[in-house]
């Protein structure tokens, strides 16, 4: 028969950790127009124009701007959408995901 201590130890082992989160960031380059970056942030990250502009300025000034934090699958999908859109428009914009 299981003791209370055995049951507690079993429950502790069964507690699941939440999945890791990933931040999606845009990287600065010298060719992609600022207005295009703002439009990308608004379209793919659902940010208002003011917030999108602030993120774009972070990209411009600091080399990187975080657009959001998501689960791995969503972050990966957003990176692919942004990169595809940028390439179709002829821009070298880089978008990356990093574990938080």
């Amino acid at each position: 028969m299981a003791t209370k201590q055995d049951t507690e130890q079993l429950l502790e082992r069964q507690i699941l950790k939440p999945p890791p989160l990933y931040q999606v960031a845009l990287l600065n380059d010298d060719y992609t127009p600022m207005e295009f970056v703002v439009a990308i942030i608004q379209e793919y990250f659902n940010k208002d124009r003011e917030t999108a502009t602030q993120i774009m300025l972070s990209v411009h000034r600091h080399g990187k701007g975080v657009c959001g934090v998501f689960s791995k699958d969503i972050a990966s999908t957003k990176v692919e959408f942004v990169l595809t859109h940028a390439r179709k428009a002829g821009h070298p914009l880089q978008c990356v995901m990093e574990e938080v």
Side-chain angles (χ1 to χ4, degrees), residues 67-83:
C67 299
V69 177
F70 309 95
S71 66
K72 185 175 185 176
D73 290 342
I74 293 173
S76 177
T77 300
K78 288 189 180 284
V79 167
E80 284 301 313
F81 283 161
V82 169
L83 292 176

Side-chain angles (χ1 to χ4, degrees), residues 51-95:
T51 303
T53 301
Q54 291 303 315
I55 295 170
M56 177 275 297
L57 289 173
S58 177
V59 172
H60 180 68
R61 293 179 181 147
H62 306 291
K64 179 169 117 176
V66 176
C67 299
V69 177
F70 309 95
S71 66
K72 185 175 185 176
D73 290 342
I74 293 173
S76 177
T77 300
K78 288 189 180 284
V79 167
E80 284 301 313
F81 283 161
V82 169
L83 292 176
T84 300
H85 187 126
R87 297 307 165 266
K88 284 183 180 178
H91 299 299
L93 181 65
Q94 289 296 308
C95 184

Side-chain angles (χ1 to χ4, degrees), residues 2-15:
T3 66
K4 183 177 178 182
Q5 185 179 14
D6 291 338
T7 304
E8 287 175 1
Q9 288 176 349
L10 181 61
L11 287 175
E12 285 177 15
R13 281 187 261 148
Q14 289 179 342
I15 295 174

Side-chain angles (χ1 to χ4, degrees), residues 36-52:
F36 181 80
V37 175
V38 171
I40 286 283
I41 295 166
Q42 286 182 286
E43 183 174 346
Y44 293 106
F45 299 98
N46 300 316
K47 303 293 185 187
D48 59 61
R49 184 158 184 81
E50 184 177 330
T51 303

